[in-house]
Every structure is written in C-alpha cells, then in structure tokens.
Amino acid sequence: MRPFDKSFLTPTCPAQREVGNILKVTQLSKSFTGLSVFKNLNLEVPNGVFCALIGPSGCGKSTFFDVLMGVLPMDSGEISWGGRSVNDLKHIAAYMQQKDLLLPWFSLEENALLPAKILKGQKKDGRKAVRDLFARFGLSGFENYLPHQVSGGMRQRAALVRTLTFDRELVLLDEPLSALDALTRSILQEELLNLQLEFGKTVLMITHDVEEALLLADDVVILSSSPMRLLERIHITSAKPRRPSDPEIGRYKEIVLSELKRELTVAQ
Amino acid sequence: MRNRSAALVPLCAFLIVWEVGCRLFNVQPFILPPPSRVLAVSFLQAPTLFSHAMTTAAEILLGLALALAVAVPLAISMFYHKVVERALSPLLVASQAIPVFALAPLLVVWLGYGVASKVVMAAVIIFFPIAVSLLEGFKNCDKDYELLFNLMDATFWQKLRLLHWPWALPSFFAGLKMAVAVATIGAVIGEWVGAQKGLGYLMIQMNARLRADMVFASILWLTVIGMGLWGLVGLLENKVLYWKKEG
C-alpha cells in the first residue's frame, strides 16, 4: 500500500530542462572492506537544477560526495559532465562542507580570496568579485574581521562566498547550514536560493532537513540507508521563492516524510 | 597581574627563611651567603657579571638560531616525507637518551674553548623540543582543511605557507618556550667544561676562590637571562598568534 498518490510525482528530469551541462552518475558503487555503502547508483542532474539529497543520517551521502569529488576512489561506475566522462568532479565542482573551514589566521576577505590565490587560471580581479559578493551577502564592512570575531552565520556566508569564487558551474553542498541556528538558517536558505536563481548554478545539496530541501530544491531525491539507494525522486513544481506555510509545500513534506518513515520501518 | 604577584608570596617567604637562617645560625658566607649579600654583589659586581652574561646570552641566542636552522627544515621534511620520518625519528629519540653533559668535553675538544662549542651544546639541547613540537603541530592539522587545499590543487609550498605552518605555530611556540627555558643549561655546561668567558666560567672561577656570593650572583643573572628570553618568546607569540581566540 502506497501512503500517497503516485501520480502527484512528475517524471524525473523533464526533457525541456536538458540543456547545457548535465551531471550524470551511472552505476556508481563504493564499499568499505566488503561493506557496500552504495551500489549501482544512478543520478542525473540537469543544468541549472537545484537537487537536494535527503536521507537518514549515516546512509552514505557524504561518502557519495567524497567519491564524486575524487577524495575517495570509486569501486566502479561512471561520472560524466556535459556528456564527457570524468574521473571525478575535482576540477568541475565547488565543494562546501558543513564546517566553514575558514582559516583562523586570515580575515574573511583573505579567506574568500584563497581560491583566487591558489587555483590556476583564476581571474585576476578576484578582490573586486569578492567585495561584490560580500556586499551581496551582507558582509560589507566585515572584510578585515577574523573568523572568530564574527557570528557563525557570517562565517558560513564567508565560506559560501569562497565556494562561489571557485567559479564553477556545479556546486556540491554537504549540509551547509545544519550547524546554524534556525533564524540564521532561514536567512541563508533565502540567500542560497537567490544565488542559484541569479547565477544559474547547478546545485547538489545534502541535507537532512526536509523543509530546507522543499524550499530550495527543484528535485528532491530520497535516499535509503545501507546500502544507499535512490528511493524516490520528486520534482517540486511550486514557484520560487516558496514559504514553509505554502499548502503545496506541506503536501510535499508529508510525501517525503512518509517515504522516509517507510524506509526506516523497512530497515528495522 | 594578580596572578603574577601571587608568585611573589612563596618567593619572599623562601628568601626570608634563608636570610634569617643564615644570620641566626651564623653560616659562613663562603658556604651559604644570605640573599641580601647575593643581591648586593649582583649590583656591585654588575660590570663584571654583565660582560660574562653577554657572552652566555650570545651563546644561547646563537644556539637557538642554529637549532632553528636545523629543526625547522627537518620537521618540514619529516612531515612531508614519511620515509624521512621513519628513518630519523628513532635517531631523534635516541639522541635525547644520550646525556648531553657527556658530549660537552668532546665538543670542547672538537670546537675549542671559544663560543662555538657552547653554541653547539645549547643547540643540541634546544633542537629536540623545537623539532618535535613543530612536527606534532603539522600533524595535528585538520584533515578537512587539507582536503580543501587538495581540491584546489595547492602546491607543497602553498600548503606549507598558507595552512600547515600557521597551523603548527601554537605548538611550535610551546616547544620554543620549553627550549629557551633549558637553553641556559647547555651554554653553562659548555662553559664549565672549558671556556674563557661566560657566567658558567665565572661560577667555576669564583667557586674555586670560595666566593659563593659571586656564584649565586651568577645564577641570579642566568635566571634573569632565562626569564628574559621566555618573556621575549611570549611577546613574539602574542604578536604572531594574533588570530588565537582570546581566553
């Protein structure tokens, strides 16, 4: 018995969105000492789409990102970007983790300029771009502050600016907001959304916050644990910006939650 | 400031007991001079003590420079090349098992009565805490930060300059403080074995002449040098580690 009407879901990846560079993960497998984290995983994220991955904690989402970024080697499978097979997304995606990873000895601006300093072939007018982004994120006037002198929300924003200065089309976010308080989180959710609308980035975001996923994402992918599988992919059609109080969001939330709960009961 | 003045209480109590004891039991000054006499001699003989102190201080500072010049590149190469670490770390530990005092006579034979043998002696003592603390500091670096740099394809020097070196600095300074605290030992032992100048040399000379007051005055001056160095390192630490969270 399905707890909800399946026809409510639209098919994955509508054809009209398949323009530009598509991230395609085919039959990706990874195991640790015989224990399979995920097996034959398939995922497709069209250009400019905000895709949220949601699943129980410890289901292997972060390992998935590590494999995508080439931090961990894959066992088998294929990753392709724009139709071209790649080993990993190291040179294609910008990666942001839950921890802000700002260097405590550098000011916020110097931290944001780090990719410009290190990455080869980076634009020379890095400082101007960073200043613009700082203004955009309400960090103007705090350029010369050290990370420990500002709030957690501001640190996370500076980290986000740094992620953006990577100047990559694809952005991988691993629970970027989960360490923040509710208010800061909701403000930054708005920022993330504006950012994706404005810069047209393709975003793949791990989260365990259902509401966050529903507010931001075009596609919500529900994952199961051990081994991680794609349970459901829900295309959210509601126009952005969305509000938690929107009835449609409430409906989607029920679907996602019931799916997650079902998975948990099956697992137990 | 209140914390520091707290240290004065036991010190004063100790000095009073010493002073009163010397006078009460009429202890001969060539055996144990009262602190008042030591203090008086320290000031009255200041020019002599100063010129010897300068030699010892120079030996310590040069020893420090030599130790840094060897320990820093060594710690870096041990950190970046596991082979180097595996090859050298047992030797490093073994070097600490050798009583450094046993080396002093040899060093004097090899390097002469001048400053060089004392500099090397001090460097041998200082070298270990600096190298180990720096290496540990490098190793403590958060893996996620390393990942961030690796994803940017940062070069060896970029990682060292922007990440590992600043990351290791707090640990490095802890080692450096320990090093300067024991640095005086190296210089003084070197001078005891054979020297022409320095506070250690002065102590040996004065001890032979039963001038216990001058021996104590030399120790007092050595202490001042040691504490001065400690203070300097502390100042430098505050300056360099401006980014450390207060409290």
Side-chain angles (χ1 to χ4, degrees):
Chain A
M1 249 289 297
R2 308 288 306 203
F4 59 88
D5 178 14
K6 201 80 163 68
S7 67
F8 189 69
L9 308 172
T10 43
T12 44
C13 310
Q16 68 267 27
R17 288 194 290 158
E18 285 184 20
V19 284
N21 290 328
I22 300 170
L23 169 68
K24 207 167 175 179
V25 175
T26 325
Q27 300 284 308
L28 197 67
S29 298
K30 175 73 190 168
S31 62
F32 289 121
T33 57
L35 207 72
S36 177
V37 184
F38 47 82
K39 210 173 170 185
N40 301 334
L41 203 72
N42 295 304
L43 182 70
E44 219 176 292
V45 186
N47 188 43
V49 164
F50 197 127
C51 179
L53 302 175
I54 195 161
S57 39
C59 76
K61 293 170 291 191
S62 294
T63 308
F64 177 53
F65 270 23
D66 283 348
V67 171
L68 286 184
M69 290 308 285
V71 179
L72 294 171
M74 65 170 98
D75 291 348
S76 60
E78 199 194 0
I79 302 169
S80 77
W81 172 250
R84 220 158 34 86
S85 176
V86 289
N87 288 327
D88 51 57
L89 301 172
K90 189 177 173 186
H91 301 286
I92 293 159
Y95 185 22
M96 180 176 168
Q97 286 172 291
Q98 184 182 338
K99 283 196 272 180
D100 56 59
L101 296 182
L102 296 176
L103 299 170
W105 44 86
F106 282 153
S107 68
L108 294 185
E109 184 172 88
E110 283 172 302
N111 264 296
L113 280 168
L114 204 60
K117 222 181 274 181
I118 293 176
L119 285 170
K120 288 178 196 86
Q122 198 77 352
K123 280 177 227 141
K124 283 284 160 265
D125 61 343
R127 195 169 295 269
K128 199 197 162 294
V130 165
R131 285 267 157 106
D132 289 346
L133 282 167
F134 266 46
R136 174 85 182 57
F137 278 90
L139 288 170
S140 285
F142 292 93
E143 290 90 347
N144 296 319
Y145 279 59
L146 292 172
H148 81 260
Q149 293 170 321
V150 301
S151 68
M154 289 176 100
R155 279 203 297 275
Q156 209 64 12
R157 274 183 244 183
L160 197 55
V161 171
R162 183 183 59 198
T163 308
L164 291 171
T165 55
F166 271 74
D167 205 17
R168 306 251 164 101
E169 278 178 75
L170 182 61
V171 181
L172 299 192
L173 304 170
D174 187 355
E175 302 196 13
L177 309 180
S178 65
L180 301 173
D181 61 272
L183 182 67
T184 317
R185 195 183 324 168
S186 82
I187 294 169
L188 279 189
Q189 279 169 0
E190 244 167 77
E191 294 288 3
L192 269 181
L193 185 62
N194 290 337
L195 209 72
Q196 195 246 344
L197 295 176
E198 203 172 307
F199 295 87
K201 306 252 185 205
T202 306
V203 183
L204 199 54
M205 179 177 79
I206 290 175
T207 179
H208 53 234
D209 184 336
V210 176
E211 196 174 276
E212 182 171 285
L214 293 173
L215 289 179
L216 299 178
D218 302 301
D219 289 333
V220 175
V221 173
I222 304 170
L223 301 163
S224 74
S225 56
S226 55
M228 187 172 95
R229 276 168 300 119
L230 257 68
L231 285 180
E232 205 68 68
R233 181 173 183 143
I234 303 171
H235 180 57
I236 315 282
T237 44
S238 323
K240 294 180 193 176
R242 306 163 186 152
R243 277 180 311 179
S245 53
D246 288 347
E248 223 173 322
I249 294 300
R251 214 144 36 103
Y252 278 120
K253 198 169 174 176
E254 250 172 66
I255 296 168
V256 174
L257 279 175
S258 68
E259 189 74 358
L260 277 170
K261 272 182 205 153
R262 202 168 59 86
E263 157 58 18
L264 273 179
T265 40
V266 166
Q268 281 161 5
Chain B
M1 202 57 220
R2 186 167 293 175
N3 287 338
R4 279 188 203 168
S5 52
L8 288 175
V9 178
L11 182 66
C12 286
F14 175 67
L15 289 176
I16 288 168
V17 170
W18 179 358
E19 180 81 35
V20 172
C22 282
R23 288 173 192 274
L24 210 63
F25 299 107
N26 207 14
V27 182
Q28 289 297 313
F30 71 86
I31 293 173
L32 182 67
S36 57
R37 180 161 175 162
V38 172
L39 204 64
V41 167
S42 301
F43 282 107
L44 290 173
Q45 297 291 327
T48 311
L49 285 160
F50 181 77
S51 75
H52 285 284
M54 281 300 102
T55 305
T56 305
E59 287 162 3
I60 294 170
L61 286 176
L62 287 172
L64 198 61
L66 180 61
L68 281 171
V70 179
V72 172
L74 191 76
I76 292 171
S77 54
M78 280 173 84
F79 176 59
Y80 279 97
H81 303 283
K82 287 279 165 283
V83 186
V84 178
E85 194 197 346
R86 271 200 294 271
L88 289 184
S89 61
L91 292 179
L92 264 182
V93 177
S95 79
Q96 287 307 293
I98 303 170
V100 198
F101 316 93
L103 289 177
L106 281 174
L107 284 175
V108 172
V109 170
W110 293 337
L111 299 168
Y113 287 98
V115 172
S117 55
K118 288 85 201 168
V119 170
V120 172
M121 190 72 198
V124 167
I125 290 188
I126 301 169
F127 160 81
F128 188 72
I130 293 180
V132 169
S133 64
L134 193 57
L135 183 60
E136 285 307 310
F138 286 148
K139 281 182 174 176
N140 275 337
C141 187
D142 191 323
K143 292 285 166 287
D144 287 332
Y145 281 91
E146 281 173 357
L147 174 63
L148 178 73
F149 275 77
N150 287 338
L151 288 177
M152 289 189 279
D153 283 333
T155 62
F156 165 87
W157 290 111
Q158 282 171 333
K159 273 194 271 188
L160 181 65
R161 193 164 50 88
L162 300 168
L163 178 64
H164 291 128
W165 178 255
W167 193 280
L169 275 179
S171 168
F172 170 72
F173 270 104
L176 193 60
K177 276 179 160 174
M178 218 154 77
V180 295
V182 295
T184 48
I185 301 174
V188 168
I189 291 169
E191 287 171 1
W192 278 357
V193 173
Q196 291 149 333
K197 220 167 172 355
L199 287 173
Y201 165 79
L202 189 65
M203 283 162 81
I204 293 285
Q205 295 289 315
M206 290 298 144
N207 206 31
R209 291 177 206 174
L210 299 182
R211 286 291 305 275
D213 51 351
M214 277 299 276
V215 175
F216 273 103
S218 304
I219 294 174
L220 186 65
W221 276 66
L222 266 179
T223 312
V224 171
I225 291 177
M227 288 179 77
L229 274 174
W230 174 281
L232 272 180
V233 173
L235 279 179
L236 191 67
E237 183 181 21
N238 284 341
K239 193 109 190 124
V240 173
L241 301 182
Y242 61 90
W243 48 270
K244 283 295 271 187
K245 234 179 260 184
E246 293 88 7

